[in-house]
Amino acid sequence: MEQKNKKKISTQTIIKLLLAVVLLSLSAFLLKGDVWTFWTWWLLAGVMGFAAMPVTGRLFWRFEDKGWIFSKVLAIAATGFLTWFLTAIRLIPFNALTCAAVTILCAVICFFLLRKESKEKTECFPVDRISLIYWEELLFFLAFLIWTYLAGFRPAAYGTEKFMDYGFMEAMMRSTTLPARDLWYSEGHINYYYGGQYFAVFLTKLSHTKVELTYNLMRTFVAGLAFAMPFSLVYQMMSDRMKGLQKSEKVIKGLPFAAGFTAGTAVSIAGNMHYVIYAQIIPLIEKLTGKEVSSYWFPDATRYIGYNPYREEDRTIHEFPCYSFVLGDLHAHVVNIMFVLLVIALLYVWLRGVRKKTVPVETSMKDGKFWKEQLLMPHLLVISALLGMFQWTNFWDFVIYYVVTLGTVLFANIIRFQGKIKKIMVVTFAQMAEIYLLAYLVILPFTLQFDTMVDGIGIAKYHSYFYQLLVLWGLPTVLTITFVITILWEKLRGMEHKSLYRLRNAIRTAELFALIMGLCALG
């Protein structure tokens, strides 16, 4: 029996090695001379992620892979943001040497944390789940490779916002101070949300490569992560959802993998229903009725409201990740996708942890230990720093994910404090204020030098046609509402004595988190 198992393990290892060799060979064949830069970035992200695992492993200790894919983004966010912060307050120059020095310093800190964890016998790297990490890394490499190969067919940074994005990168490449001088020679500095392009330059300087190569590589790198990160998160959510079920109920052993793959595909490739209706259904009807078939151009799916039919007062752009990846822009909202996915994953792992620690009813809010526990939660502190960073990378993401974070915090507190309204409201407001204050403080070097271009948020004067909203967001809305109804029906049907308290306890954390994200999206 033992010999059979060893033989099986040996065969699996050989297959995995062969698969890795095939992918490496395929990348060399497809990318030719550019493959060295591609490999450099892939290895750099892997090494940075590996160095950050002592921290990531603690934050994601409830994940089977200990947050392996997310460690890449956490490492880039931490080292890149720290380098920017020290440069912005004029402590260090922005060059390749300081980028490397800050990165190495962060790696050394993680190394000492690893030694501490080994003494405490805390596992930060999932040695027993190395197979899962292999498949995640393989999927990331494959997605990164495919997008990089496709980008090679149209690599020119020309049209739309490409020239501005490329100009920002070149301006920062030749600058040792931040913000860099304005590329339009206005005698001022860049007055824009340049954080996304900054991270591209940070990795360019760190890898000792050139902007003409890394402009496209950054967008394909983000596109690869836009597949791998949702895969890892939803894989874990489905695994958590299936825990405790009888073997007979586990119909498909590979269901977590299938769910993760679907999530990765949906985030990185799917768009809205505009293409299905206007490029498939309507032309088919026109063909069957003998009419002239309408033409379709892929940006039509992002230029719909106010464009078809034309309405000057109500024109808007509603992009989705795949459109940006294909188009080739390296704008703030594109790069920030990977940091947004990191925030969402941190919210899930935090919710999963705090839900198991319901606070005793008799706990007094006057107790200092109580407030220390509520305000010094590591996940919320990291999320606060990331939300602050969003004000510099893509401000709308700060507004959106501040609300999403508060929604998650509110639901968590309702559960933790067992419906005690006063405690729920006081703690939620305290955490809301803490998150906002920390987010405000960490980004001060940017906001103090930034002249805002926004007058504020007001009530919309014009309103879009309802049918157009349904075309764009009808499908996810229907899916979310169906999911909510299904969960409520499933849980309430099995209850002998129906109550909100029993319903709350019956809903698993993965289901609850999906509900929260769905409701936030509808809101």
Side-chain angles (χ1 to χ4, degrees):
M1 186 71 178
E2 193 176 338
Q3 268 187 329
K4 281 185 179 179
N5 286 336
K6 281 183 179 179
K7 191 176 179 181
K8 188 179 178 182
I9 291 167
S10 178
T11 306
Q12 288 176 351
T13 305
I14 290 168
I15 291 170
K16 287 176 182 177
L17 284 172
L18 283 172
L19 198 54
V21 170
V22 168
L23 271 181
L24 286 169
S25 303
L26 182 65
S27 64
F29 172 74
L30 293 176
L31 304 182
K32 297 185 170 54
D34 294 334
V35 76
W36 296 108
T37 311
F38 174 82
W39 284 346
T40 300
W41 269 46
W42 172 65
L43 285 169
L44 177 65
V47 170
M48 290 176 73
F50 184 80
M53 278 306 291
V55 175
T56 314
R58 282 197 166 196
L59 291 172
F60 287 86
W61 69 276
R62 293 176 184 275
F63 272 39
E64 290 180 20
D65 64 354
K66 296 291 188 287
W68 169 254
I69 289 293
F70 297 98
S71 69
K72 301 175 192 290
V73 181
L74 184 64
I76 292 168
T79 55
F81 188 75
L82 182 58
T83 303
W84 169 83
F85 189 91
L86 296 174
T87 303
I89 61 176
R90 301 293 189 267
L91 280 183
I92 60 172
F94 182 47
N95 54 42
L97 184 63
T98 52
C99 289
V102 172
T103 304
I104 292 168
L105 176 64
C106 290
V108 169
I109 293 170
C110 287
F111 173 74
F112 282 110
L113 184 60
L114 179 64
R115 289 188 65 184
K116 183 183 175 184
E117 286 178 346
S118 61
K119 287 179 182 177
E120 296 172 357
K121 295 182 180 177
T122 306
E123 185 189 6
C124 70
F125 194 87
V127 180
D128 58 326
R129 297 310 304 266
I130 199 72
S131 180
L132 175 60
I133 287 177
Y134 168 84
W135 289 112
E136 286 182 346
E137 193 64 33
L138 185 112
L139 286 171
F140 167 63
F141 184 92
L142 186 60
F144 186 19
L145 172 61
I146 290 170
W147 278 110
T148 305
Y149 175 67
L150 292 174
F153 287 98
R154 196 177 177 86
Y158 179 78
T160 59
E161 295 169 337
K162 298 185 190 74
F163 188 81
M164 185 191 76
D165 300 330
Y166 188 86
F168 279 0
M169 286 183 67
E170 286 288 12
M172 283 184 274
M173 273 300 287
R174 60 177 177 256
S175 177
T176 57
T177 59
L178 292 172
R181 301 296 289 177
D182 185 17
L183 66 152
W184 307 114
Y185 298 100
S186 65
E187 296 302 316
H189 56 75
I190 294 173
N191 188 62
Y192 200 70
Y193 309 101
Y194 64 91
Q197 295 88 358
Y198 161 80
F199 277 103
V201 174
F202 171 75
L203 290 172
T204 302
K205 289 192 174 188
L206 196 59
S207 59
H208 201 64
T209 44
K210 296 177 181 178
V211 170
E212 53 260 41
L213 293 173
T214 58
Y215 173 87
N216 282 311
L217 205 58
M218 186 65 186
R219 69 180 173 104
T220 61
F221 180 71
V222 174
L225 288 168
F227 179 90
M229 295 173 79
F231 172 88
S232 178
L233 173 59
V234 176
Y235 177 96
Q236 186 61 48
M237 288 175 68
M238 184 56 75
S239 296
D240 294 341
R241 171 67 181 81
M242 292 173 68
K243 276 179 185 174
L245 297 178
Q246 298 296 325
K247 285 186 178 180
S248 58
E249 292 178 281
K250 294 181 181 179
V251 183
I252 305 172
K253 191 179 179 182
L255 196 58
F257 191 93
F261 193 87
T262 304
T265 305
V267 173
S268 63
I269 296 177
N272 52 51
M273 288 297 288
H274 185 277
Y275 171 79
V276 177
I277 294 169
Y278 284 88
Q280 299 297 325
I281 297 174
I282 290 178
L284 180 62
I285 294 170
E286 289 172 338
K287 189 176 180 181
L288 293 172
T289 54
K291 294 180 181 178
E292 186 181 349
V293 177
S294 304
S295 61
Y296 192 86
W297 192 37
F298 80 98
D300 291 348
T302 67
R303 307 295 194 277
Y304 178 48
I305 293 178
Y307 293 85
N308 181 22
Y310 183 83
R311 295 176 75 199
E312 179 65 39
E313 72 279 4
D314 184 39
R315 283 194 298 165
T316 188
I317 299 171
H318 36 80
E319 291 188 14
F320 44 89
C322 186
Y323 168 78
S324 300
F325 301 151
V326 171
L327 184 69
D329 280 352
L330 192 61
H331 220 43
H333 65 269
V334 178
V335 179
N336 213 50
I337 289 170
M338 61 182 184
F339 301 123
V340 160
L341 290 168
L342 175 60
V343 166
I344 293 171
L346 284 167
L347 283 173
Y348 174 66
V349 75
W350 172 76
L351 179 66
R352 190 180 168 203
V354 297
R355 190 182 183 187
K356 294 178 184 258
K357 299 176 182 177
T358 50
V359 181
V361 178
E362 65 276 4
T363 304
S364 172
M365 286 193 292
K366 295 179 182 179
D367 187 357
K369 187 182 176 183
F370 171 82
W371 283 109
K372 186 179 177 182
E373 287 177 356
Q374 308 314 312
L375 299 178
L376 294 180
M377 293 180 174
H379 294 83
L380 291 187
L381 296 177
V382 174
I383 289 167
S384 301
L386 288 167
L387 290 176
M389 191 179 82
F390 288 1
Q391 297 177 62
W392 162 62
T393 51
N394 186 36
F395 188 82
W396 273 114
D397 281 338
F398 165 70
V399 178
I400 293 165
Y401 291 97
Y402 180 63
V403 173
V404 171
T405 300
L406 295 186
T408 309
V409 167
L410 177 61
F411 271 86
N413 286 338
I414 290 171
I415 293 169
R416 292 171 64 231
F417 298 110
Q418 303 172 52
K420 301 296 177 184
I421 301 297
K422 186 180 177 181
K423 280 185 180 178
I424 292 167
M425 298 309 295
V426 171
V427 173
T428 300
F429 276 115
Q431 290 173 335
M432 177 176 71
E434 176 199 26
I435 293 167
Y436 187 88
L437 181 63
L438 287 174
Y440 174 80
L441 290 174
V442 298
I443 206 62
L444 272 177
F446 169 73
T447 53
L448 290 175
Q449 298 184 71
F450 179 68
D451 296 323
T452 183
M453 297 163 280
V454 181
D455 295 328
I457 299 173
I459 303 297
K461 295 178 182 178
Y462 307 101
H463 302 279
S464 308
Y465 294 129
F466 183 67
Y467 81 88
Q468 290 187 312
L469 298 178
L470 286 179
V471 168
L472 298 178
W473 296 292
L475 179 62
T477 300
V478 169
L479 290 174
T480 302
I481 293 171
T482 304
F483 177 71
V484 172
I485 293 170
T486 303
I487 290 295
L488 292 176
W489 173 259
E490 180 192 343
K491 303 304 176 186
L492 290 172
R493 188 180 59 176
M495 287 183 193
E496 194 173 326
H497 302 287
K498 295 174 177 60
S499 71
L500 192 61
Y501 178 78
R502 288 190 176 88
L503 175 65
R504 181 192 72 191
N505 289 338
I507 296 176
R508 294 171 182 266
T509 305
E511 297 166 340
L512 177 63
F513 187 71
L515 285 171
I516 294 169
M517 293 300 107
L519 294 174
C520 286
L522 288 178

